[in-house]
Amino acid sequence: MGLQLKNPLIASSCGLTNSISNIKALEDNGIGAIVLKSMFEEQIHIETEKYIKNGQGDVNTFANAPDTIISKRIYDYDEAYSYIYDYARSNTLDKYLSLISEAKRTVDIPIIASINCISNYDWQSFAKQIQNAGADALELNIYILPSDFRRSAEENEKVYFDIIHEVKKYITIPFAVKLGYYFTSLAQSVQKLSESGIKGLVLFNRPYNSDIDIEKISLSSGNIYSSDFEYNTTLRWISILSEKVSCDLSASTGIHSSETVIKMLLAGANSVQMASVFYKHGFVVIPDFLIGINDWMNRHNFSSIEDFRGKLSKSNLENPAAIERVQFMKLYSGIE
Ligand SMILES: Cc1cc2nc3c(=O)[nH]c(=O)nc-3n(C[C@H](O)[C@H](O)[C@H](O)COP(=O)(O)O)c2cc1C
């Protein structure tokens, strides 16, 4: 993306990248770059509705709300909505912009802002202000669960291109798109996205998952954090795509060890992003990862990451079909 990273480890967008103390601690532990927690437009709408209904929005958003906002609640819903929404929006944005500029003043590593984009175009103006606040780059967090029976694959996928097209008009800093893998034709879509003017793709976001509580017979929350065995889908696709795209690839999901970092780099990733491992074990894993990567490089006589990055991308495999094998035939799995 044109960013100079001292190593390929990036702290993924999550609650841990939302405070200056954590941002500083990440840098002190040796992280290469940080993606800030996403600004969620949807969250602002939810806060506004909650506030109108019961006067109890998020304390951070409404703690210092002026009297005009407080009294507005009791009037006409639509008028109150737009008035309170505007307040919540500018307050949330101001806080986010302060986080960016303070992070830039505090640390030397690249700071990447993140916006969660939904089809509504309110966030366009956020992008420009984020650039002005000093962010080195922007990550667009776009996750379309294709669950609407009325929408075709083309309609869903067009949303990504429309968003990129709009953002390009507003900013000049490099921007990346962070995706899920629900695409009808993932290889072709990712390749086209990489040619649309973005500078990076983050593969893949791990969504909030729901589960079922069989005692309460109701929906519950799935595992919030990934496990260390969840990296294979990302690994496969980084390998398939890495030599075929026109932008950088950052690997995300299930990266919990230096070994997995090395695997992603061998598959062709330019960088890796991690969140769950920090929630589970703290930032102290970062120096361990760096030592692990260096030890492995020494053992294999590699003096720079470029010496081995992409060695096991699909295009460089002796048997490229192996990375696409999906059936458990006895020949490959050893199990009947
Ligand atoms: C608590 C939590 C909050 C997250 N918030 C965001 C977010 O605001 N924006 C985003 O793009 N991804 C968010 N993510 C997703 C992570 O950035 C990451 O892509 C995902 O967790 C997979 O990486 P991991 O296996 O290292 O956790 C969040 C993840 C967690 C666990």
Side-chain angles (χ1 to χ4, degrees):
M1 288 180 73
L3 303 177
Q4 288 300 317
L5 270 61
K6 60 185 173 188
N7 65 59
L9 308 186
I10 300 180
S12 219
S13 174
C14 66
L16 296 174
T17 61
N18 208 18
S19 76
I20 294 297
S21 54
N22 279 342
I23 289 168
K24 179 87 181 77
L26 279 161
E27 184 184 55
D28 289 345
N29 279 283
I31 203 82
I34 297 172
V35 187
L36 301 180
K37 171 85 185 148
S38 302
M39 251 194 70
F40 283 85
E41 184 202 346
E42 197 184 352
Q43 181 78 30
I44 305 173
H45 284 289
I46 295 168
E47 292 303 337
T48 304
E49 264 166 33
K50 263 193 349 205
Y51 190 76
I52 292 179
K53 280 195 192 119
N54 57 18
Q56 288 175 352
D58 177 55
V59 279
N60 287 325
T61 314
F62 292 104
N64 300 315
D67 289 349
T68 44
I69 296 293
I70 295 162
S71 60
K72 207 71 180 176
R73 277 184 54 224
I74 53 178
Y75 298 129
D76 167 69
Y77 182 87
D78 289 341
E79 195 191 323
Y81 193 95
S82 65
Y83 195 79
I84 293 171
Y85 176 78
D86 283 349
Y87 171 78
R89 182 177 173 279
S90 74
N91 197 20
T92 309
L93 180 61
D94 284 352
K95 287 213 167 95
Y96 200 65
L97 299 176
S98 308
L99 179 71
I100 296 170
S101 35
E102 205 179 334
K104 283 301 297 171
R105 279 197 301 275
T106 312
V107 295
D108 294 323
I109 51 177
I111 294 292
I112 302 162
S114 167
I115 314 178
N116 171 256
C117 300
I118 51 176
S119 48
N120 187 319
Y121 276 178
D122 252 9
W123 44 262
Q124 287 168 357
S125 60
F126 299 168
K128 179 84 187 155
Q129 294 181 66
I130 281 172
Q131 168 169 307
N132 292 344
D136 295 290
L138 178 64
E139 191 174 279
L140 305 175
N141 163 13
I142 316 175
Y143 205 107
I144 299 172
L145 192 76
S147 58
D148 186 337
F149 293 92
R150 295 160 303 180
R151 288 176 68 85
S152 67
E154 287 78 12
E155 284 174 295
N156 279 328
E157 291 175 12
K158 187 171 173 296
V159 175
Y160 294 86
F161 292 93
D162 288 348
I163 291 174
I164 292 168
H165 181 75
E166 283 304 310
V167 171
K168 268 200 302 200
K169 290 189 210 159
Y170 288 84
I171 58 171
T172 50
I173 52 172
F175 66 100
V177 174
K178 184 177 186 185
L179 302 172
Y181 43 76
Y182 293 114
F183 284 81
T184 308
S185 183
L186 185 61
Q188 190 184 74
S189 298
V190 169
Q191 190 177 54
K192 282 189 183 157
L193 283 168
S194 79
E195 292 160 359
S196 65
I198 61 176
K199 299 284 184 233
L201 277 159
V202 184
L203 309 177
F204 296 102
N205 201 345
R206 179 179 183 275
Y208 171 82
N209 286 309
S210 46
D211 202 349
I212 285 180
D213 181 325
I214 60 168
E215 292 311 321
K216 292 187 185 150
I217 314 195
S218 63
L219 278 188
S220 61
S221 166
N223 284 332
I224 303 282
Y225 306 125
S226 67
S227 317
D228 57 5
F229 52 80
E230 280 183 55
Y231 65 84
N232 299 81
T233 302
T234 296
L235 188 66
R236 165 178 281 160
W237 285 103
I238 293 281
S239 175
I240 291 173
L241 294 162
S242 59
E243 303 265 326
K244 301 283 183 188
V245 291
S246 308
C247 70
D248 286 348
L249 292 182
S250 193
S252 159
T253 292
I255 300 169
H256 288 239
S257 67
S258 58
E259 287 84 357
T260 312
V261 174
I262 295 164
K263 290 176 192 184
M264 294 297 174
L265 297 171
L266 281 168
N270 297 89
S271 64
V272 300
Q273 297 202 3
M274 296 165 293
S276 295
V277 71
F278 298 144
Y279 280 100
K280 288 183 172 178
H281 304 293
F283 303 145
V284 288
V285 297
I286 300 166
D288 291 344
F289 283 16
L290 293 172
I291 292 168
I293 298 164
N294 269 316
D295 285 352
W296 177 86
M297 285 173 65
N298 288 338
R299 274 192 285 120
H300 291 270
N301 293 324
F302 294 126
S303 52
S304 83
I305 287 183
E306 283 312 309
D307 289 348
F308 67 92
R309 198 178 67 77
K311 258 187 177 303
L312 297 182
S313 73
K314 184 186 162 193
S315 313
N316 293 331
L317 290 176
E318 266 172 43
N319 174 12
I323 197 79
E324 295 187 359
R325 202 162 280 146
V326 287
Q327 299 298 342
F328 289 98
M329 280 192 289
K330 190 182 172 208
L331 182 63
Y332 307 126
S333 67
I335 295 175
E336 189 80 79

